């Protein structure tokens, strides 16, 4: 059916019909929902109906008032436009046309701080505002994404059945759940993307170790990754890594990875994740290093100057057994991956406590098992860990993950040491290992830092042998006094 018959009302609307909005609208229609359509350029709306009208019921609106009028009450409107001012512009145009109880859903990659602001403003006007994370790219939007809606419980009562039906399904469970109030959905999606940054950086470092360290070709490394995808590392990102490394550029006949500029881009979610972690006091070192690695890759002028000053020579990795080194890299990759996910889930826990969201971390692992970019076999293990202990102090100490890290730590050390010795940068591997060692060390040098802070700024310190806060008169008699 191309258009609803006269008088037909849409179950839900989508405004913003670029690739993601277009595919999400088609997904909704394929599942039997009548979908109202709107785009700033009406031609894009007409194009969707012309090309895909046979997939379900679409009701095209040439203007925003027509679009809103075609929706069943309480209205539910999905906004799929660029984050920031474009989203605010659509909200400003849309809200005057809505009534009490209507629902506005932002499915873009908005900053959760903006979502909290918008939710509070629309709540004062009697409207529900839902910040909803959607992961899976254009394919996921069409065939089943992971969906992370925040907002009120009342809004989820209407949206939940719809979103759960169009989400990816794993073992009969939809990859969608109500995350929590106001900005919780976009916060969790932000952290998801931060973990994604770390995951990809770790994969890239593993590739570099095998390429620069062993001299393997991209095709050979693709085969290695394909083998890894059959074990504990089984995941979407490992799978597509094998595909990318195996691909040959049609124009040159060279490995595809060799004709791509080595400057990684980012859209902001990784940066937001790191900024939020600093505000919350959560050390997400792997995610931070992955974000900074992308930044470094883009500083072409500095990199050129460094190459001219210091050269580019690498010493080959020393190994007695090639297969043993490859296995060391695999184990180091897995251990580092555990750290990245542990840090991400720590941040979710801290954000939940800070903003009173009551996020179920096990449920987040459940809805990330399908549809999203970081879907992986071991998310089942994460779900189990949090189901068994919702207050788990760190994912790393859950029995399964603790055993995995213990099993990999010797390989991890060998890989990081070899990389440092020959000059292969491994910021995410190295920082993840340092985080692990920092967590388990009996005494950290932070005691000296506290002494220094007290010396130059009278910032005080606490003692290990008695309660209280103290200051030493460093410039005077060096006597200690209660602060």
């Amino acid at each position: 059916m191309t258009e609803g018959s006269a008088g037909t009302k849409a179950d839900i609307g989508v405004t913003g019909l670029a690739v993601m909005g277009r595919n999400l609208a088609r997904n909704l229609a394929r599942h039997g929902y009548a979908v109202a359509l709107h785009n700033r350029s009406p031609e894009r709306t007409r194009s969707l109906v012309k090309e895909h009208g046979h997939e379900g019921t679409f009701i095209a609106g040439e203007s925003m008032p027509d679009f809103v009028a075609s929706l069943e009450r309480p209205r539910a409107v999905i906004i799929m436009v660029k984050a920031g001012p474009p989203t605010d512009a659509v909200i400003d145009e849309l809200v005057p046309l809505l009534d009490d109880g209507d629902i506005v859903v932002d499915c873009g990659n908005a900053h959760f701080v903006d979502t909290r602001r918008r939710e509070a403003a629309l709540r004062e006007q009697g409207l529900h505002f839902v910040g909803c994370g959607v992961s899976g790219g254009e394919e996921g939007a069409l065939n089943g994404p992971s969906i992370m809606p925040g907002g009120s419980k009342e809004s989820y009562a209407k949206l939940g059945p719809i979103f759960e039906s169009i989400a990816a399904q794993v073992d009969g469970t939809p990859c969608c759940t109500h995350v929590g109030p106001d900005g919780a959905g976009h916060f969790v999606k932000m952290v998801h993307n931060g973990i994604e940054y770390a995951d990809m950086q770790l994969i890239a470092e593993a590739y570099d170790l095998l390429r620069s360290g062993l001299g393997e070709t991209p095709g050979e490394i693709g085969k290695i990754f394909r083998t890894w995808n059959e074990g504990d590392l089984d995941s979407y990102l490992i799978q597509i890594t094998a595909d990318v490394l195996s691909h040959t550029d049609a124009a040159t006949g060279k490995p595809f990875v060799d004709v791509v500029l080595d400057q990684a881009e980012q859209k902001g979610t990784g940066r937001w994740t790191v900024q939020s972690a600093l505000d919350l006091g959560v050390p997400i070192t792997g995610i931070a290093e992955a974000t900074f690695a992308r930044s470094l890759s883009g500083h072409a002028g500095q990199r050129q100057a460094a190459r001219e000053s210091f050269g580019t020579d690498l010493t080959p990795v020393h190994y007695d057994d090639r297969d043993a080194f490859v296995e060391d890299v695999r184990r180091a990759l897995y251990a580092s991956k555990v750290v990245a996910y542990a840090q991400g889930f720590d941040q979710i826990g801290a954000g939940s406590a800070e903003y009173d969201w009551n996020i179920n971390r096990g449920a987040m692992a459940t809805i990330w098992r399908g549809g999203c970019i970081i879907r992986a076999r071991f998310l089942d293990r994460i779900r189990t860990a949090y189901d068994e202990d919702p207050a788990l102090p760190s994912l790393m100490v859950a029995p399964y993950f603790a055993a995995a890290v213990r099993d990999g730590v010797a390989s991890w050390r060998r890989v990081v040491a070899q990389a440092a010795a020959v000059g292969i940068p491994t910021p995410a591997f190295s920082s993840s290992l340092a985080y692990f060692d920092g967590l388990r060390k009996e005494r950290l040098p932070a005691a000296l830092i506290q002494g220094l802070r007290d010396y130059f700024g009278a910032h005080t310190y606490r003692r290990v042998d008695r309660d209280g806060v103290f200051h030493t008169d460093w410039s005077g008699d060096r006597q200690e006094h209660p602060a």
Side-chain angles (χ1 to χ4, degrees), residues 243-316:
D243 284 348
V244 170
L245 291 175
S246 301
H247 184 57
T248 300
D249 176 55
T252 63
K254 295 179 179 178
F256 170 76
V257 72
D258 286 347
V259 301
V260 177
L261 187 67
D262 62 338
Q263 297 178 21
E265 297 180 358
Q266 51 185 309
K267 292 187 175 179
T269 47
R271 183 175 67 252
W272 293 341
T273 307
V274 176
Q275 290 170 338
S276 166
L278 289 170
D279 291 338
L280 293 169
V282 180
I284 56 166
T285 55
I287 295 171
E289 288 293 352
T291 305
F292 288 131
R294 291 198 191 188
S295 297
L296 186 149
S297 76
H299 286 267
Q302 286 184 332
R303 292 173 60 196
Q304 177 64 30
R307 287 194 297 272
E308 292 171 357
S309 292
F310 306 114
T312 60
D313 294 340
L314 290 174
T315 305

Side-chain angles (χ1 to χ4, degrees), residues 179-224:
V179 177
D182 59 72
H186 274 148
F187 181 88
V188 164
K189 176 57 164 56
M190 176 192 74
V191 175
H192 164 284
N193 284 24
I195 294 172
E196 179 185 308
Y197 273 51
D199 216 339
M200 286 193 284
Q201 177 64 25
L202 291 167
I203 288 170
E205 291 178 16
Y207 155 75
D208 199 19
L209 285 160
L210 300 176
R211 183 83 187 271
S212 300
L214 293 186
E216 301 285 347
T217 67
E220 291 167 337
I221 301 170
K223 292 176 182 177
I224 292 171

